[in-house]
Amino acid sequence: MDAQGRGRAGDIDPADQWVLNPDTGEYELRLPPSAAQSPVPGPRGAAPAAAPDREVPPQRRRRSAPEEPPPGRAGRRRPAKKKSRGKRVLLWTGGTMAFVVLAGGTAGYLYLQHLNDNIQSVADDGASTGGFQKDKAINILLIGTDKRTGSGNEGYGDTGSAGHADTTILLHVSKDRSNATALSIPRDLIVDVPDCPTTQEDGTQKVIRGTTGVRFNTSLGQDGRTPSCTMRTVTELTGVTPDNFMVADFNAVKTLTSAVGGVEVCLAKDIDDPDSHLKLPAGEHTVEGEQALAFVRTRHSVGFGGDLSRIQIQQQFLSALMRKLKSNDTLTSPSKMLKLAEAGTEALTVDSQLDSIGKLKDLGLELGKLNTKNLTFTTVPVVDNPAEKVKATVVLKEGPAQQVFDMVANDVSFTEVKQKEKKEAAAVAARLKGERSEPSDVRVRVMNGGAPAGSAQQELAYLQTDAGVTKSENAGNAPADLSRTTLEYAPDQADQARALAEILGLSGAAMKPGESVTNSQGLPTMTLTLGKDFKGAGVKINAAAGKTPEGVEKSTADKVECAK
């Protein structure tokens, strides 16, 4: 745009109206003095000055811009190279799933109203926790549907499909925001879909009966199931209740990748997939729009050609996208921020607890604290369905799968996160180092401090029968419920404590040096209190951060990988 055009409101690019406020470090929507109303989409006839909730600071007086820039000065003012503290956009997209959140509280009132109007929401039907909270770990269910809606999508697969949960990721963000895990759930995983109370279009409730032994992707779209039913199925499968869900179709990948100017991907070999329409030679490429959608949908040309191979290429795509979005090229570009906000709010459908730009902003601020090196992508451990001669579905690999679910539920990182207090961390880790007693020499009493009824007796039976801890007894209920299991012991019982910690899978943080008590024989004994994290007799209680269960593959968003 030439300099002469900047004085006419009708010729102004909305992106050029975003000005960096040096006092706040945030971008603000500034209108020219001659403008009768905002050129940004919004309710007709509304005026920014009349908005009671507007958060824009008072504008400084500015001289009218000259028709031409003075000699020696650029015709367009560029923002200073100072990082914006409050302005962040975080976008995720996997296969047919994507979402974007606008983080910044000083945008123009009319534009925020416009973004609010873009957002579509459906009822969570009581399947969520009620929404994420800033002081707790966050679990967001990201769902990509294969419903063929929108221009240009008619040629993909079954055009008459009601839509399935084609791509599903349970995104867990730790309580301290130091790490996150993106857990992919295979669409062909055999699960039980529970009964689902579902809000109908007329506002009435209908219970859609559950089914057993079906593909996970049927938890959405089939028999009138909504995303809340997918949420209930995930809770049934993992033991983790999501706080919110986000859903997007094919258009999300196309519009969002175009909004950021494309995503850099890498191929280890040439790909020519007629099903996904992806045709690219080996090497690095920047993909957007239709080509980006083809990339995340391809499966026959990568890996073993199945859905698990497609999950891997989607995770690589997500990692590349995260790196792009975390770069200054995106975060400091007002035009890209506007495009992302526009495309993202149009592309996603959210639950009724996340139905405003303000709520998305708050979520974006929490997610924006993440470092890509501590964002781990992994997949639910599965094996081919042994009941099938022709392998088409998968079932849980029980041991590793339960360990993965436990790590997510107990807020355990899949990567080694740098501790804020190194001395304290070293002291905690040291509790597990040293000699260990023989199981037969370990004396412990077991109490129930928040686990399901009967857990203390079940764990006691396991310790005595399977673990060889014969000097153990049931001490009933603890005085108070605990969120996590603890083991209290005296200093001279440290060798016994380390032995029991190894048997139970306790972390150093679960071990509480203190005082011993006496058992029914009057002998000093340790106290094991089972908390709400107890998952069953013999199941490892805690896992060490950064230690992935055996056989579970993972990758982190900071590393560049090429699809094979």
Side-chain angles (χ1 to χ4, degrees):
M1 181 181 298
D2 58 28
Q4 288 83 356
R6 294 181 60 83
R8 299 190 298 273
D11 295 333
I12 295 177
D13 183 345
D16 292 336
Q17 300 176 70
W18 288 81
V19 180
L20 185 68
N21 186 328
D23 296 325
T24 65
E26 299 179 348
Y27 285 103
E28 300 175 2
L29 186 63
R30 298 276 179 91
L31 304 182
S34 61
Q37 63 180 35
S38 172
V40 181
R44 181 173 296 179
D53 298 326
R54 188 175 182 183
E55 301 177 5
V56 180
Q59 297 186 16
R60 297 181 179 181
R61 293 193 177 188
R62 300 171 61 191
R63 296 180 180 177
S64 299
E67 288 297 310
E68 294 185 10
R73 298 183 63 180
R76 175 178 295 182
R77 295 178 60 190
R78 297 186 181 275
K81 293 183 178 180
K82 177 180 178 182
K83 280 191 177 181
S84 170
R85 297 191 300 270
K87 206 72 171 163
R88 293 189 181 187
V89 170
L90 180 63
L91 173 152
W92 303 73
T93 174
T96 56
M97 173 281 305
F99 75 87
V100 74
V101 283
L102 175 67
T106 56
Y109 173 77
L110 292 181
Y111 193 63
L112 290 181
Q113 288 297 101
H114 169 68
L115 293 179
N116 273 325
D117 293 340
N118 283 349
I119 299 171
Q120 299 183 50
S121 66
V122 294
D124 70 344
D125 296 315
S128 73
T129 62
F132 78 95
Q133 298 183 42
K134 294 182 180 180
D135 59 345
K136 294 184 178 180
I138 298 174
N139 294 292
I140 306 293
L141 189 63
L142 310 175
I143 307 170
T145 174
D146 60 353
K147 189 173 183 179
R148 275 72 176 172
T149 57
S151 176
N153 297 323
E154 301 84 359
Y156 295 114
D158 180 11
T159 56
S161 172
H164 303 77
D166 192 59
T167 298
T168 305
I169 294 178
L170 177 61
L171 173 66
H172 172 81
V173 185
S174 68
K175 181 179 179 180
D176 64 4
R177 309 296 184 252
S178 67
N179 65 90
T181 301
L183 179 63
S184 294
I185 302 175
R187 68 175 191 179
D188 296 326
L189 174 63
I190 297 298
V191 298
D192 294 337
V193 177
D195 291 348
C196 298
T198 306
T199 301
Q200 305 300 297
E201 290 186 3
D202 60 2
T204 61
Q205 282 264 329
K206 176 184 177 182
V207 177
I208 300 176
R209 295 300 175 190
T211 52
T212 60
V214 294
R215 280 180 167 88
F216 175 84
N217 67 352
T218 61
S219 64
L220 175 66
Q222 308 308 296
D223 301 321
R225 293 179 179 132
T226 65
S228 67
C229 193
T230 305
M231 184 178 278
R232 292 184 193 277
T233 305
V234 169
T235 301
E236 185 99 351
L237 174 69
T238 66
V240 177
T241 301
D243 300 305
N244 300 97
F245 64 70
M246 295 181 174
V247 186
D249 61 16
F250 285 162
N251 284 328
V253 178
K254 296 192 289 187
T255 59
L256 293 172
T257 52
S258 295
V260 296
V263 176
E264 291 74 30
V265 298
C266 181
L267 296 175
K269 61 181 180 181
D270 296 347
I271 288 184
D272 187 357
D273 186 349
D275 292 318
S276 71
H277 311 303
L278 180 67
K279 185 175 183 179
L280 285 174
E284 297 182 356
H285 305 275
T286 298
V287 297
E288 65 176 280
E290 291 285 351
Q291 197 172 49
L293 177 59
F295 183 86
V296 296
R297 291 190 69 248
T298 190
R299 58 171 173 158
H300 298 302
S301 300
V302 293
F304 295 104
D307 185 53
L308 296 180
S309 297
R310 180 164 63 179
I311 286 176
Q312 290 182 339
I313 201 171
Q314 289 171 354
Q315 291 175 348
Q316 292 167 14
F317 181 83
L318 276 164
S319 297
L321 183 56
M322 282 298 300
R323 292 191 296 272
K324 179 67 174 285
L325 288 165
K326 280 289 187 178
S327 68
N328 286 338
D329 180 55
T330 300
L331 292 178
T332 60
S333 170
S335 61
K336 286 186 179 180
M337 299 282 279
L338 282 173
K339 290 178 181 178
L340 281 169
E342 193 74 38
T345 52
E346 287 181 347
L348 59 84
T349 298
V350 299
D351 68 89
S352 50
Q353 308 294 337
L354 198 62
D355 59 355
S356 73
I357 196 66
K359 294 176 182 178
L360 288 171
K361 176 206 72 174
D362 290 340
L363 177 60
L365 288 173
E366 297 303 310
L367 300 181
K369 299 173 184 178
L370 293 173
N371 188 317
T372 54
K373 70 178 181 180
N374 292 326
L375 169 59
T376 302
F377 291 94
T378 190
T379 305
V380 173
V382 295
V383 295
D384 287 334
N385 190 344
E388 297 175 338
K389 291 184 178 179
V390 178
K391 304 304 180 184
T393 62
V394 293
V395 296
L396 288 181
K397 191 174 183 180
E398 290 292 347
Q402 188 58 55
Q403 291 181 56
V404 168
F405 297 155
D406 288 347
M407 290 179 73
V408 174
N410 296 325
D411 201 19
V412 177
S413 174
F414 280 69
T415 58
E416 294 183 8
V417 181
K418 184 177 181 180
Q419 301 291 330
K420 295 180 180 179
E421 300 294 340
K422 291 184 178 180
K423 291 183 179 179
E424 181 180 348
V428 169
R431 295 171 190 170
L432 295 171
K433 297 178 181 179
E435 295 183 0
R436 294 174 172 79
S437 299
E438 292 296 323
S440 58
D441 294 329
V442 173
R443 287 194 300 271
V444 62
R445 61 177 193 151
V446 184
M447 303 185 74
N448 191 331
S455 294
Q457 185 58 41
Q458 295 169 12
E459 185 72 352
L460 179 66
Y462 164 76
L463 289 173
Q464 294 181 343
T465 304
D466 299 320
V469 184
T470 55
K471 297 176 181 178
S472 50
E473 61 183 39
N474 190 336
N477 292 326
D481 287 350
L482 303 176
S483 60
R484 296 192 176 188
T485 298
T486 62
L487 175 63
E488 186 172 2
Y489 59 96
D492 60 352
Q493 296 173 315
D495 53 348
Q496 295 184 45
R498 287 189 285 268
L500 191 60
E502 183 178 32
I503 293 171
L504 301 179
L506 293 176
S507 66
M511 300 173 68
K512 305 296 181 184
E515 298 180 356
S516 65
V517 295
T518 56
N519 62 11
S520 57
Q521 284 79 43
L523 298 173
T525 185
M526 302 181 295
T527 300
L528 175 67
T529 305
L530 304 178
K532 295 179 181 179
D533 58 346
F534 179 75
K535 298 297 182 183
V539 178
K540 299 292 185 181
I541 295 174
N542 292 318
K547 187 175 182 180
T548 307
E550 185 176 352
V552 176
E553 295 184 359
K554 68 177 184 180
S555 62
T556 53
D558 62 318
K559 297 179 180 178
V560 178
E561 295 189 24
C562 295
K564 300 178 181 179

